[in-house]
Amino acid sequence: MLVLPVPGGGLLDWTPSGPPCPEPAGAPPKSRVVYAAAHVVADALAGEPDTVDWDTTLAFREHLWSCGLGVAEAMDTAQRGMGLDWPTTQELVTRTGAAAAGRRWCAGVGTDQLPPGPATMASIVDAWREQLDLVGGAGAIPVVMASRALAAAATGPAEYHAAYGKLLSEAGGPVLLHWLGEQFDPALAGYWGHDDVRAAARELVALCTEHAGTIAGVKVSVLDAAVETEFRRALPAGVACYTGDDFNYPGLIAGDDHGHSEALLGIFDAIAPVAAAGLRRLDDGDLAGFHARLDPTAPLSREIFRAPTRHYKTGVVFLAYLNGHQRHFRMIAGQESARTITHLATLLRLADDAGALADPDLAVARMRPLLLAAGVA
């Protein structure tokens, strides 16, 4: 039993009582294309700060593959723009490429190697191109990420179309695009040249229509199911929509009479075995069974991704610690301190409700010292 703090004040005597966590699925799902955006594990004993524990980081990717999920590497879940620098990102992509051995993976292509300060359109495209060459050379499907530099430099939609058009016209193969909403990164406010999200979606549809031969899909992370559904229906044939909506993913993946979203989700890092079990049900045509597995994870995901959403990485790493995938709860750039002990206690309870605790006794044992350090006796 644990004594847990609860929102609004007070303490709760709590013992895990949720459903058991499923075993890893093995084979990838057949009915959907699914990636889990993977976190990185810090080396807590390194002499230099912000050092990555490569063995444990790569072992976690093996865990995701063992569940049948693809790995989305070097995305915002891996702390791009929040502690993971470009030299380390290069090594991460190269190491994952060597480990992939033909298994499904994609990797983020950004502009974060640019120096601080204003950037020209040419330098932004050159930065994307450098990362695109690295990711493609490592064997991953490139995911062209939203650029903070472009958001700062562009004065309207035409400059977004020009910058993306230049890169896409030179891309050697199919790519995915990543529309990351300002909830995840405030520096991306007004992306695509519009503050209105539906107007921004129309610009992105136009870009996809113009470059449909190169753009294989778009990951949408705007946390608005209606906007994503409208966007998905407007995409040209052959361009898939990948949900990045960590609030509404069960319904978006299930889809409707007009189609469905594939998935590229940070929450799947934390709930990989449960997600895989639900997707197996969907493969079998058991929509009710799919929802029975995935719907109970949504409250957990909504808590992990609650505002300020950019700190969701803390919850993802916390669950990896509880589930035995790393020996400590430490993060690059000290981001483990970004959430309160009450938030973490809530995640523990919701993970239990969702069947996302691989070993509840281990989770209790690992939570206890965190509570003691926070003064919860």
Side-chain angles (χ1 to χ4, degrees):
M1 186 186 76
L2 291 174
V3 177
L4 300 178
V6 295
L11 299 172
L12 171 71
D13 292 338
W14 179 84
T15 301
S17 59
C21 185
E23 292 296 320
K30 299 175 183 178
S31 57
R32 300 291 186 270
V33 180
V34 178
Y35 295 96
H39 74 281
V40 293
V41 182
D43 185 344
L45 303 180
E48 297 296 325
D50 300 340
T51 301
V52 172
D53 179 341
W54 291 113
D55 289 343
T56 307
T57 293
L58 291 171
F60 189 78
R61 281 130 184 85
E62 293 292 340
H63 160 67
L64 296 176
W65 279 317
S66 77
C67 292
L69 306 184
V71 170
E73 188 56 275
M75 306 291 289
D76 48 293
T77 305
Q79 293 187 240
R80 296 288 295 270
M82 292 186 70
L84 193 76
D85 60 21
W86 172 233
T88 309
T89 300
Q90 293 179 78
E91 186 170 0
L92 178 63
V93 170
T94 301
R95 285 175 177 264
T96 300
R103 292 172 292 188
R104 179 176 287 159
W105 74 298
C106 61
V109 171
T111 62
D112 47 335
Q113 76 271 47
L114 289 170
T120 65
M121 290 296 163
S123 68
I124 291 167
V125 174
D126 286 345
W128 263 332
R129 189 183 296 114
E130 178 187 4
Q131 297 201 16
L132 185 69
D133 289 344
L134 171 74
V135 165
I141 297 172
V143 184
V144 181
M145 302 173 70
S147 167
R148 289 177 176 174
L150 181 57
T155 58
E159 289 175 299
Y160 285 92
H161 284 277
Y164 276 90
K166 177 66 172 174
L167 179 71
L168 293 169
S169 66
E170 300 172 355
V175 304
L176 305 180
L177 301 186
H178 185 188
W179 180 16
L180 191 68
E182 63 184 285
Q183 307 96 318
F184 290 85
D185 187 345
L188 299 176
Y191 212 76
W192 307 113
H194 294 280
D195 291 323
D196 178 77
V197 68
R198 283 181 166 83
R202 288 192 290 272
E203 296 292 348
L204 183 49
V205 167
L207 182 72
C208 291
T209 301
E210 183 178 356
H211 298 279
T214 303
I215 301 171
V218 182
K219 168 181 159 65
V220 184
S221 299
V222 295
L223 302 183
D224 188 319
V227 169
E228 179 175 325
T229 301
E230 294 167 11
F231 173 77
R232 183 177 74 208
R233 293 175 181 176
L235 285 171
V239 179
C241 180
Y242 287 78
T243 188
D245 187 332
D246 299 279
F247 285 0
N248 304 295
Y249 54 92
L252 290 163
I253 294 170
D256 53 33
D257 292 341
H258 300 280
H260 64 265
S261 296
E262 315 295 351
L264 199 167
L265 288 160
I267 187 57
F268 279 9
D269 176 295
I271 63 164
V274 183
L279 290 160
R280 286 202 305 273
R281 302 274 183 91
L282 200 58
D283 286 348
D284 294 337
D286 181 4
L287 184 60
F290 166 80
H291 280 292
R293 276 294 189 187
L294 267 292
D295 288 359
T297 69
L300 169 64
S301 189
R302 284 177 172 268
E303 181 66 19
I304 289 176
F305 286 82
R306 68 181 300 179
T309 301
R310 64 186 181 277
H311 293 312
Y312 76 88
K313 294 91 168 171
T314 302
V316 166
V317 173
F318 172 65
L319 286 178
Y321 165 68
L322 291 186
N323 281 325
H325 295 297
Q326 52 192 81
R327 294 185 299 274
H328 58 79
F329 178 43
R330 302 285 290 178
M331 296 176 65
I332 289 174
Q335 286 293 315
E336 70 277 0
S337 65
R339 297 292 204 185
T340 68
I341 191 64
T342 301
H343 171 76
L344 299 179
T346 302
L347 295 186
L348 172 63
R349 293 190 288 114
L350 292 173
D352 180 54
D353 292 343
L357 295 180
D359 181 342
D361 290 339
L362 175 65
V364 167
R366 289 191 158 199
M367 186 66 182
R368 198 179 304 279
L370 300 182
L371 292 165
L372 290 173
V376 182

